[in-house]
Amino acid sequence: MIKFFLMVNKQGQTRLSRYYEQVDLGKRPALEADVVRSCLSRHKDECSFVEHKDYKLVFRQYAGLFIVVGITDTENELSIYELVHNFVEILDKYFSRVVSAEAQIMFNLDRVHLILDEMILNGHVAETNKTRILAPLMVLDKLAEG
Amino acid sequence: MSDVVEKTLTALPSLLSLDSQSGAGKLSSTSKLGGLIRSITELTSKHEEEKLINRELAAIKEQVSSPNTSMRQMKEIMVRAIYCEMLGYEASFSYIHAIKLAQQGSAIEKRVGYLAVSLFLNESHDLLLLLVNTVLKDLQSTNLIEVCMALTVVSQLFPKDMIPAILPLVEEKLTNPKEIIRRKAVLALHKFYLIAPNQVQHIHSKFRKALCDKDPGVMTASLHIYLQLIKENPDSYKDLTGSFVAILRQVVGGKLPVDFNYHNVPAPWLQIQLLRILSLLGKDDQSTSELMYEVLDESLRRAEMNHNITYAILYECVKAIYTIYPKSELLEKAAKCIGNFVVSPKINLKYLGLKALTYVVQQDASLALQHQMTIIECLDHSDSIIKRETLEVLFRITNVKNVAVIVEKMLDFLKNVFMEPDILFLLYVGCFPLLSDTYSPNNEWFIQTMNVVFSLGGELMHPDIPNNFLRLLAQGFGSEEEEQQQLRVFAVDSYLTLLESDTAHLPQRFLQVISWALGEFSYLKDGLEPCKVTKLLAKLLDERNVTSESRSWILSAMAKLSAGPGAAALALQVSERYSSSLDTVLRQQALELLHLSQDPELHARVLPHGAAWDSFEVDSSLSFLDSFVSEALSQGAAPYKAPHQRQEELRQEKALSLEPYSISLPVSLSSCSITDRQSPTLLSMSSSLSGNSNELKAGTLKLEGVKRVWGKEGYLHQQDAVEEAAQVEEAATPALPLSPQQGGAESQQTHGDLTVVEQEKQKLASSLFVGLGSQNSTFLMGKSDSTSQQFRRKTRAADSTSSGVSERSSSSSHSSCSDFLHNNLLEDSQNSLNTQKIGVSNGTHEGPVTQSFQTTSKETSPFLDAGMVLVQPCSPQTELRDFVQPGSSGITQTSLRSQFPPELSQLPHSDISLLSSDHSLSLSACRAYRDDALLFVIILSNLKCCGSIFETFSTLIQVASLRGNALENLPAHSMSVCWYALLMEEPHTQVTVAGSVSYRAVPGHTQTLQFTDKLFLTDFIRPLTLSTEEYGKLWLSFSQDVRQNLKLIQGEGDPLRATLSALKEQLQLHIVDIIGSEGIVACRLLPDSPCLLHCRIHGGSLAVWLRSPLLSLPDCLLYYCQKTLEEC
């Protein structure tokens, strides 16, 4: 099961966070700082999976942006690693021209959340088909324009 | 392709100029959100962040409350609030506006409203109830996109007890022509299944329909449910194996539309999900496994594409092949396939390969041979994660020949990670002893390795490890007696050497192990003077860094050694020093040491050398103290009271009692002696007896109470005779294994009433509890899903760790036996003093119910006095006062209450609150809690100062699922009280009472006043008093059950006890029994629907299991349990 999905920049600042398990608001910054620290300290040729407390972290770097996913022991690390990439590809498709990954996400935080919610629900992979994930959002955009 | 994207992204400057252009969307950078984002990116310190966000929050607060804010602006505000919360600053004031936005917005605004709700709130948040209506409306909308949104939010979070309200609508969506609606409906049902499995039990057939849906998306969604169902009960779904195999075959064969592909691999996550399901179905089942061999083989063959995702599938496939009933051909193929992983230069693949190897080698350790070079390489890998995973593999291929090398490698690893004591470290230290005792090449090596483990493991080591080790020493591990003795001598030798050098760096746990082993086995070594050992121990005792727990271990070791010549003198010295210690346990032990060292005969009897580890019998009920207690009581000692009861009394003493002192009960009651253990009615008899002890204390002399409890002299005599021996035995055995606690307990019990423990009952309770809870020492088996022989043997060893040693050694059982005793004591008092005294113990709580809750002996209770406890100012009261016209001077709670007829004022009841009113009549209501019904009391007040009298009035109550009938009408001049006895026929968390009063103020002109009020389930809950035995019978007969983990109240003392008593007080439950980490609780819903709770401490939470004959009673009750504990 997926426990949380984080996007953080190189400075360790959270740019998006989604928890699939109840974590108190007050405890989140500390947890995120912890998570980021253990990921940032990894060397490039060390593997992308880290044990952290009672869960595993799968992280992937895109330019200045890290995506970190916390998973339970029963989850397949590599499939999550690729799920992250699927997500980035969808973002890429939606924001057709990436100006700056981080700025794009910050200015469209709500939309990025909506895409993520279509893909992961309750900590389970709900949908991976790119067209289908984007469909509801596309309709909403069209409505907003019209 | 992935690389291309990655490169594109990497090539881009990461967040450089955030000028107006880079906002790149529909968002102008001059907007407030744009401003916030820019400020956030410019932050340099935590302090700045705090300032910025607080400013932002203030701005948002102002904006949301402005009536001019449009929905469009509100959407932007919500995103800003999401930012604030993301940075860790609570924006709770905006939650209600998020719900409003979801309700009133359209399209994207509505969606953002729902998004904000799902980010802000959690399942138990009260505001969530406000969302229900919006969701209901949207589910019925003709706009597909709104239906979609509603279904999405429902599958993210939804209040559990509102599920029935929307379930039909969601079910209906399963047949919607649009795939996306069907898919989301299935996902919503998955969510329902997770939070309330009982609610969706009836739609299992619809799950099957979803599985066969023509759209692959819907089918995929249904797999989530099936994975869960099959995990819980694989046997019921074996018939679906064929379907899953067929689906997998089609997916692997590329039959899905192209847009399901990821990098040309067809629906990889779907494949992984299917493989997981298959492995669950095929586990330990040959015939089912045979159905899937072919498709698994095909999966292995097809997955040759060189992409990460195919490796992810392969890994899952290999795991499945090694989980299901084995087929050698497939196993070989899978093992070969893993080879590709392990040798891959890609580090992530290497990791996964090693992880897969751990499964592979469990089946056949020789498979590791092919990869031995790679494994050796990985062992020295710079990445500690890889190293760790490699050790995991090695751990599973350990045998007699390689154990020395592997353990050495592991110890190296341990030394390196010592600075970061995390969970993996614990796991590793945990593995060693298990490893060593199965395969240790020789004794000396074993002892030395264990020495390293104990020194390294330090205080972080799981207590099971030393316990297990000591058990091993005491019990042996199946080897020859001679060899065993040799092992012990080795241990003694090496510990003596250790003690002679510097001991400051040794962890406490190790010191405890050392002292126990020395105390127990140093006699085995020829020529070793006990005096020498005692000296070393005495030296250790004086070390500053030794904790008092360790000191207690050392003292008991010294007690064992004190018999020898020379040692006695030293023992005298030590015991003199410690007999004035502030620590009572140490003081007790010092005294024991003194006695034992001076009386060799006693010593020989109490602490015989080399006694078998299980030769001691521990009388946990402490029945041998019965005669002692009775003697003390007859000499005028006060009966024992549990700490909570003492506190209670203290509290009561502070309040004035206006009740006349009660007449003491006739002595004849006491003729049923408490010592009559076999009597089945004992429990209730004794409890009713001691239940009165509180009342007695006020009115009568203590002596009288004693007399009553102890009854006829003849019986006492008889008992004395029988137990004389036991008493002598006790006096002579102060240093028995349980000594420190026993001593402590004894001192408590000098004025204690212990006699009520019946062994019978305990046996019953423990057998009952055994069936309910599961033993929980699986910690050592971090990955316990293995099936190999080697692993299983170890599990067993781990399971039995605590038992052996904790009974044998004097203080290895320190914590466990003190718990045990503690529980026994409490349990006693619980049973003997408190079983039926719910009234008393509930009396002091400060909930909505202001008066004590009386179930028995209403009349005799000293502190049930209407006027005394309850005058509390509260909001309804002030409301009422505001309302009341000045002329009708001060209708306060008290004056309203004074209107109560005597039979009502006796009952505990809630505050009086204003229901409804018009110019001439005001209605107030209050709930009175009678044992057999809830009384809904309506007080009618005439507000006309001119004194007009109502001619007639009639009231009418319409209540859903409640039964009610007017009991009485009491007309009066200005006020009148009438009440209704209500029962709840069908459990609901809350029900609304609506009614109207018709009256005639002017002749010929009838007026009607409407009112509504809410009643809660808890109003209808009453304690259910029954014995453990009755509980056990009932438990088995109930069909509805619900399990859930709840929050535990962490405070002083036992968390289980604290939590249960909090529940008891708030919800009027009855605690039947508490044993160890388990408790059973019972209650009934009026009129007489029982609900039983079984609570167990599991991890850091309270695992509650509710059973009842009524369908939704457990769910409803659970809701309140949860609520209560959240509020605590």
Side-chain angles (χ1 to χ4, degrees):
Chain A
M1 201 195 130
I2 299 168
K3 294 204 167 185
F4 55 79
F5 192 102
L6 296 179
M7 293 174 97
V8 286
N9 68 8
K10 264 188 171 159
Q11 289 78 44
Q13 293 158 318
T14 310
R15 291 300 176 234
L16 176 138
S17 68
R18 177 55 127 163
Y19 289 83
Y20 299 102
E21 212 180 47
Q22 170 67 12
V23 177
D24 282 348
L25 194 62
K27 289 182 186 149
R28 290 180 188 184
L31 181 138
E32 284 160 21
D34 250 20
V35 162
V36 171
R37 205 174 311 124
S38 55
C39 288
L40 287 179
S41 67
R42 302 286 290 170
H43 197 260
K44 266 218 166 98
D45 45 85
E46 294 184 325
C47 75
S48 319
F49 317 126
V50 193
E51 300 238 349
H52 187 82
K53 303 210 173 118
D54 53 344
Y55 44 85
K56 280 208 175 103
L57 303 175
V58 174
F59 68 96
R60 204 159 175 166
Q61 189 182 1
Y62 294 93
L65 209 59
F66 283 88
I67 298 183
V68 190
V69 190
I71 55 172
T72 57
D73 208 35
T74 51
E75 203 55 71
N76 180 329
E77 292 92 341
L78 205 55
S79 81
I80 298 297
Y81 186 70
E82 287 307 307
L83 186 74
V84 168
H85 194 66
N86 193 38
F87 177 63
V88 171
E89 284 181 359
I90 294 168
L91 290 186
D92 198 42
K93 191 173 170 183
Y94 179 72
F95 297 111
S96 49
R97 279 190 63 239
V98 182
V99 180
S100 153
E102 187 176 346
Q104 194 66 263
I105 285 158
M106 290 191 77
F107 278 95
N108 294 287
L109 185 69
D110 47 346
R111 287 182 161 74
V112 179
H113 262 299
L114 295 188
I115 293 174
L116 184 62
D117 280 358
E118 290 295 320
M119 192 172 83
I120 303 174
L121 205 61
N122 277 320
H124 299 281
V125 184
E127 182 61 87
T128 52
N129 182 325
K130 294 189 179 67
T131 342
R132 291 189 171 193
I133 287 176
L134 286 179
L137 189 53
M138 295 289 198
V139 175
L140 286 175
D141 280 343
K142 214 171 264 168
L143 282 176
E145 277 167 24
Chain B
M1 187 167 132
S2 70
D3 292 338
V4 179
V5 180
E6 231 161 309
K7 269 173 207 155
T8 332
L9 286 170
T10 323
L12 291 162
S14 66
L15 182 71
L16 291 173
S17 54
L18 270 170
D19 54 18
S20 55
Q21 285 175 334
S22 66
K26 299 110 202 170
L27 206 83
S28 94
S29 60
T30 52
S31 73
K32 290 202 169 95
L33 175 57
L36 172 67
I37 293 173
R38 207 175 16 256
S39 319
I40 289 179
T41 55
E42 284 161 3
L43 288 174
T44 54
S45 72
K46 188 77 194 161
H47 178 66
E48 269 181 43
E49 178 188 287
E50 212 176 302
K51 244 169 53 189
L52 170 72
I53 300 298
N54 283 334
R55 210 166 48 224
E56 186 69 22
L57 282 173
I60 295 176
K61 206 170 202 167
E62 196 181 318
Q63 263 183 297
V64 284
S65 47
S66 152
N68 300 326
T69 313
S70 71
M71 283 298 134
R72 200 193 173 85
Q73 287 166 319
M74 194 59 100
K75 176 197 151 221
E76 200 206 75
I77 292 172
M78 280 307 135
V79 180
R80 282 158 61 198
I82 292 176
Y83 262 105
C84 295
E85 289 239 323
M86 187 170 81
L87 294 173
Y89 300 83
E90 200 181 280
S92 49
F93 61 85
S94 63
Y95 297 173
I96 186 78
H97 296 281
I99 292 175
K100 225 163 97 188
L101 184 61
Q103 201 167 33
Q104 295 167 359
S106 62
I108 187 79
E109 288 133 26
K110 191 182 198 68
R111 184 67 188 92
V112 171
Y114 273 131
L115 170 71
V117 169
S118 76
L119 284 167
F120 291 157
L121 303 185
N122 61 45
E123 226 115 64
S124 49
H125 204 288
D126 286 340
L127 281 180
L128 210 52
L129 285 172
L130 295 178
L131 196 71
V132 174
N133 259 329
T134 316
V135 168
L136 262 175
K137 209 183 87 210
D138 285 341
L139 280 177
Q140 287 163 305
S141 163
T142 48
N143 185 343
L144 280 185
I145 202 79
E146 282 180 355
V147 179
C148 252
M149 289 177 201
L151 285 171
T152 308
V153 82
V154 160
S155 35
Q156 281 170 325
L157 78 172
F158 198 73
K160 195 168 143 189
D161 34 277
M162 295 309 274
I163 291 176
I166 61 160
L167 190 58
L169 284 173
V170 176
E171 273 180 69
E172 177 196 303
K173 299 287 180 273
L174 288 173
T175 52
N176 195 289
K178 286 280 179 200
E179 67 80 23
I180 187 163
I181 304 287
R182 294 203 303 278
R183 180 164 61 86
K184 287 192 177 277
V186 172
L187 290 171
L189 289 179
H190 176 228
K191 175 71 176 178
F192 294 168
Y193 181 75
L194 288 177
I195 55 176
N198 290 341
Q199 309 265 28
V200 289
Q201 237 157 17
H202 61 288
I203 39 180
H204 279 203
S205 61
K206 295 199 173 156
F207 294 157
R208 292 209 178 208
K209 223 179 217 166
L211 181 67
C212 306
D213 198 286
K214 59 181 187 293
D215 184 86
V218 182
M219 181 270 295
T220 310
S222 75
L223 292 184
H224 289 299
I225 303 180
Y226 275 106
L227 183 67
Q228 191 66 29
L229 287 171
I230 294 172
K231 215 181 263 171
E232 284 159 14
N233 183 8
D235 291 334
S236 314
Y237 299 93
K238 299 274 184 190
D239 59 316
L240 285 175
T241 314
S243 314
F244 294 124
V245 168
I247 295 169
L248 182 58
R249 186 170 293 130
Q250 286 178 40
V251 176
V252 173
K255 296 285 193 317
L256 287 187
V258 184
D259 61 351
F260 282 92
N261 288 7
Y262 173 77
H263 293 253
N264 295 327
V265 181
W269 290 277
L270 170 59
Q271 289 193 42
I272 288 173
Q273 189 84 340
L274 283 164
L275 287 166
R276 281 182 192 153
I277 290 179
L278 287 182
S279 66
L280 287 174
L281 285 170
K283 195 174 181 190
D284 301 326
D285 182 344
Q286 187 172 5
S287 58
T288 310
S289 297
E290 271 164 5
L291 296 173
M292 42 184 102
Y293 288 147
E294 202 182 316
V295 76
L296 290 176
D297 190 35
E298 199 177 337
S299 289
L300 277 185
R301 264 189 294 122
R302 289 263 184 176
E304 59 215 352
M305 278 253 320
N306 198 10
H307 188 276
N308 270 340
I309 195 67
T310 53
Y311 286 109
I313 299 173
L314 271 180
Y315 168 79
E316 213 66 44
C317 197
V318 170
K319 205 173 149 187
I321 289 173
Y322 275 90
T323 312
I324 63 170
Y325 191 86
K327 186 189 182 198
S328 58
E329 190 192 333
L330 265 185
L331 294 181
E332 245 168 70
K333 272 190 193 169
K336 216 168 115 194
C337 174
I338 286 306
N340 297 334
F341 280 69
V342 189
V343 297
S344 166
K346 285 192 182 172
I347 187 91
N348 288 341
L349 288 190
K350 212 186 250 314
Y351 169 84
L352 212 62
L354 288 167
K355 208 176 153 190
L357 257 189
T358 55
Y359 291 98
V360 172
V361 295
Q362 271 167 47
Q363 289 278 348
D364 183 358
S366 67
L367 285 171
L369 285 179
Q370 314 173 18
H371 307 302
Q372 53 178 318
M373 284 325 288
T374 330
I375 292 174
I376 300 290
E377 267 169 43
C378 292
L379 207 51
D380 293 323
H381 203 280
S382 56
D383 188 347
S384 66
I385 300 283
I386 296 282
K387 225 186 222 173
R388 201 198 78 88
E389 211 56 48
T390 316
L391 287 170
E392 189 99 34
V393 176
L394 286 178
F395 165 63
R396 285 173 167 76
I397 57 168
T398 315
N399 59 40
V400 178
K401 285 175 189 148
N402 63 13
V403 69
V405 187
I406 290 178
V407 167
E408 195 186 320
K409 284 282 178 196
M410 288 184 177
L411 288 178
D412 279 349
F413 181 72
L414 274 185
K415 281 172 192 157
N416 290 332
V417 295
F418 183 52
M419 294 320 286
E420 32 178 322
D422 54 4
I423 199 140
L424 105 149
F425 172 63
L426 280 171
L427 172 86
Y428 266 87
V429 178
C431 288
F432 286 124
L434 302 172
L435 191 68
S436 305
D437 75 87
T438 325
Y439 293 114
S440 58
N442 64 53
N443 290 328
E444 205 168 344
W445 176 85
F446 173 61
I447 296 291
Q448 268 160 12
T449 309
M450 286 312 293
N451 285 353
V452 180
V453 170
F454 282 129
S455 323
L456 280 178
E459 312 307 334
L460 296 162
M461 192 154 46
H462 194 272
D464 274 358
I465 299 170
N467 281 347
N468 188 18
F469 174 70
L470 291 182
R471 181 183 56 90
L472 206 78
L473 273 183
Q475 209 180 345
F477 40 93
S479 54
E480 302 282 311
E481 183 62 24
E482 197 182 314
E483 209 173 299
Q484 220 171 296
Q485 299 292 40
Q486 208 188 354
L487 178 73
R488 291 171 184 160
V489 175
F490 271 132
V492 169
D493 264 343
S494 77
Y495 294 157
L496 284 177
T497 325
L498 272 173
L499 286 190
E500 274 160 8
S501 59
D502 184 24
T503 52
H505 64 280
L506 295 178
Q508 299 300 320
R509 285 243 164 78
F510 192 25
L511 290 181
Q512 293 162 9
V513 166
I514 291 177
S515 28
W516 187 83
L518 286 179
E520 204 69 19
F521 299 122
S522 56
Y523 75 94
L524 289 170
K525 190 169 155 59
D526 292 334
L528 178 66
E529 288 288 314
C531 175
K532 186 186 165 201
V533 184
T534 316
K535 246 182 216 153
L536 281 172
L537 286 174
K539 194 186 101 197
L540 192 60
L541 200 58
D542 295 338
E543 297 259 358
R544 195 174 298 163
N545 56 353
V546 174
T547 64
S548 57
E549 190 192 351
S550 306
R551 287 213 167 97
S552 144
W553 285 72
I554 297 169
L555 278 174
S556 55
M558 290 175 87
K560 289 173 197 161
L561 294 166
S562 62
L570 200 56
L572 189 67
Q573 231 178 344
V574 168
S575 59
E576 258 169 23
R577 187 144 19 103
Y578 282 90
S579 56
S580 58
S581 163
L582 284 178
D583 189 318
T584 46
V585 174
L586 288 183
R587 206 156 62 214
Q588 170 75 17
Q589 280 197 307
L591 286 172
E592 286 165 7
L593 176 62
L594 187 67
H595 283 293
L596 284 169
S597 61
Q598 283 167 356
D599 186 350
E601 207 176 299
L602 178 68
H603 188 278
R605 191 149 51 94
V606 175
L607 296 167
H609 277 317
W613 64 275
D614 50 358
S615 64
F616 287 100
E617 270 177 37
V618 179
D619 183 358
S620 57
S621 69
L622 304 176
S623 59
F624 51 83
L625 287 172
D626 286 0
S627 56
F628 175 76
V629 171
S630 62
E631 202 173 301
L633 282 169
S634 68
Q635 280 168 15
Y640 175 72
K641 287 192 184 84
H644 64 99
Q645 205 188 355
R646 280 190 299 244
Q647 249 174 359
E648 187 116 318
E649 280 168 19
L650 268 178
R651 241 178 287 159
Q652 285 164 27
E653 274 160 23
K654 281 176 196 153
L656 279 173
S657 167
L658 297 186
E659 284 270 302
Y661 287 142
S662 58
I663 308 150
S664 57
L665 288 168
V667 183
S668 66
L669 242 179
S670 62
S671 61
C672 170
S673 167
I674 251 161
T675 40
D676 179 8
R677 294 224 177 118
Q678 307 311 319
S679 161
T681 56
L682 173 70
L683 179 61
S684 50
M685 278 312 287
S686 62
S687 48
S688 67
L689 270 177
S690 27
N692 288 316
S693 73
N694 263 12
E695 293 145 31
L696 285 166
K697 83 173 163 85
T700 56
L701 277 174
K702 274 169 193 143
L703 249 178
E704 226 177 300
V706 172
K707 216 173 170 189
R708 285 193 318 112
V709 173
W710 291 98
K712 288 175 183 168
E713 294 297 314
Y715 199 82
L716 265 178
H717 266 298
Q718 208 181 348
Q719 214 215 347
D720 277 350
V722 178
E723 295 196 345
E724 190 91 43
Q727 195 181 3
V728 173
E729 185 71 15
E730 156 58 15
T733 53
L736 265 180
L738 291 171
S739 58
Q741 287 71 34
Q742 229 167 27
E746 194 187 342
S747 58
Q748 275 178 30
Q749 287 146 21
T750 35
H751 49 88
D753 173 3
L754 274 174
T755 49
V756 219
V757 189
E758 314 104 296
Q759 228 120 8
E760 285 295 296
K761 207 188 101 241
Q762 272 212 342
K763 258 187 220 158
L764 174 74
S766 60
S767 58
L768 181 75
F769 277 70
V770 165
L772 298 177
S774 62
Q775 277 298 326
N776 234 343
S777 40
T778 43
F779 148 82
L780 293 174
M781 320 312 325
K783 305 195 166 167
S784 59
D785 40 354
S786 85
T787 49
S788 83
Q789 199 59 41
Q790 174 192 351
F791 225 53
R792 251 190 235 150
R793 188 161 53 204
K794 285 172 183 166
T795 317
R796 213 175 302 136
D799 276 344
S800 58
T801 42
S802 38
S803 59
V805 170
S806 58
E807 277 164 31
R808 175 74 178 94
S809 81
S810 84
S811 6
S812 70
S813 54
H814 222 276
S815 52
S816 60
C817 80
S818 78
D819 280 354
F820 186 52
L821 262 174
H822 179 62
N823 288 336
N824 271 327
L825 285 175
L826 281 179
E827 190 199 333
D828 283 351
S829 52
Q830 197 94 31
N831 288 333
S832 66
L833 302 169
N834 237 1
T835 313
Q836 296 201 324
K837 269 168 34 70
I838 289 108
V840 177
S841 37
N842 278 346
T844 48
H845 77 83
E846 293 139 18
V849 185
T850 44
Q851 247 185 339
S852 60
F853 204 94
Q854 201 70 8
T855 52
T856 50
S857 63
K858 269 175 230 157
E859 292 74 25
T860 49
S861 172
F863 44 83
L864 188 81
D865 189 350
M868 277 306 297
V869 222
L870 18 97
V871 190
Q872 288 177 342
C874 60
S875 51
Q877 184 188 338
T878 36
E879 238 173 78
L880 194 65
R881 232 189 239 137
D882 290 346
F883 174 79
V884 167
Q885 292 169 6
S888 58
S889 56
I891 302 180
T892 59
Q893 293 246 337
T894 350
S895 71
L896 281 174
R897 198 172 288 115
S898 65
Q899 289 296 312
F900 281 11
E903 64 265 47
L904 277 187
S905 57
Q906 288 280 338
L907 293 175
H909 54 77
S910 69
D911 284 335
I912 296 169
S913 60
L914 184 67
L915 271 188
S916 159
S917 63
D918 61 14
H919 59 278
S920 55
L921 182 67
S922 136
L923 298 178
S924 314
C926 109
R927 282 157 286 165
Y929 306 93
R930 210 169 66 190
D931 200 22
D932 59 349
L934 175 74
L935 299 185
F936 187 66
V937 185
I938 302 176
I939 303 146
L940 304 105
S941 326
N942 181 2
L943 296 174
K944 289 248 167 95
C945 6
C946 50
S948 74
I949 306 163
F950 307 130
E951 286 192 9
T952 58
F953 63 81
S954 65
T955 49
L956 176 72
I957 283 199
Q958 304 155 332
V959 203
S961 68
L962 287 175
R963 247 188 300 154
N965 59 308
L967 277 186
E968 243 172 302
N969 280 341
L970 300 174
H973 280 282
S974 60
M975 267 191 225
S976 165
V977 177
C978 67
W979 68 92
Y980 298 85
L982 302 178
L983 300 168
M984 193 174 243
E985 285 189 314
E986 231 178 281
H988 287 278
T989 48
Q990 62 178 54
V991 287
T992 309
V993 196
S996 60
V997 179
S998 309
Y999 65 94
R1000 237 174 278 161
V1002 187
H1005 181 66
T1006 309
Q1007 278 171 300
T1008 310
L1009 184 57
Q1010 307 278 353
F1011 63 88
T1012 58
D1013 195 13
K1014 275 190 181 140
L1015 299 174
F1016 304 96
L1017 180 86
T1018 41
D1019 293 331
F1020 296 91
I1021 294 287
R1022 299 286 178 273
L1024 177 63
T1025 316
L1026 37 72
S1027 69
T1028 310
E1029 194 176 359
E1030 289 164 333
Y1031 180 98
K1033 270 187 206 146
L1034 275 181
W1035 179 267
L1036 293 175
S1037 65
F1038 292 163
S1039 53
Q1040 300 299 328
D1041 82 17
V1042 172
R1043 297 187 211 199
Q1044 179 106 21
N1045 283 352
L1046 298 180
K1047 201 181 107 185
L1048 227 116
I1049 296 175
Q1050 300 294 355
E1052 288 170 355
D1054 185 359
L1056 176 69
R1057 226 159 263 281
T1059 312
L1060 289 187
S1061 58
L1063 286 176
K1064 174 180 149 187
E1065 280 182 14
Q1066 290 297 321
L1067 305 175
Q1068 316 302 351
L1069 310 175
H1070 168 63
I1071 299 175
V1072 181
D1073 211 339
I1074 297 180
I1075 293 182
S1077 63
E1078 300 182 35
I1080 49 179
V1081 179
C1083 68
R1084 66 192 163 100
L1085 176 70
L1086 290 172
D1088 51 10
S1089 313
C1091 184
L1092 306 181
L1093 293 89
H1094 172 253
C1095 311
R1096 186 162 64 89
I1097 297 214
H1098 181 74
S1101 59
L1102 183 73
V1104 182
W1105 188 356
L1106 297 99
R1107 275 197 177 186
S1108 166
L1110 277 193
L1111 179 65
S1112 45
L1113 182 55
D1115 274 321
C1116 295
L1117 189 64
L1118 190 62
Y1119 168 80
Y1120 282 102
C1121 292
Q1122 217 159 0
K1123 212 170 138 195
T1124 308
L1125 294 179
E1126 287 305 327
E1127 282 162 7
C1128 275

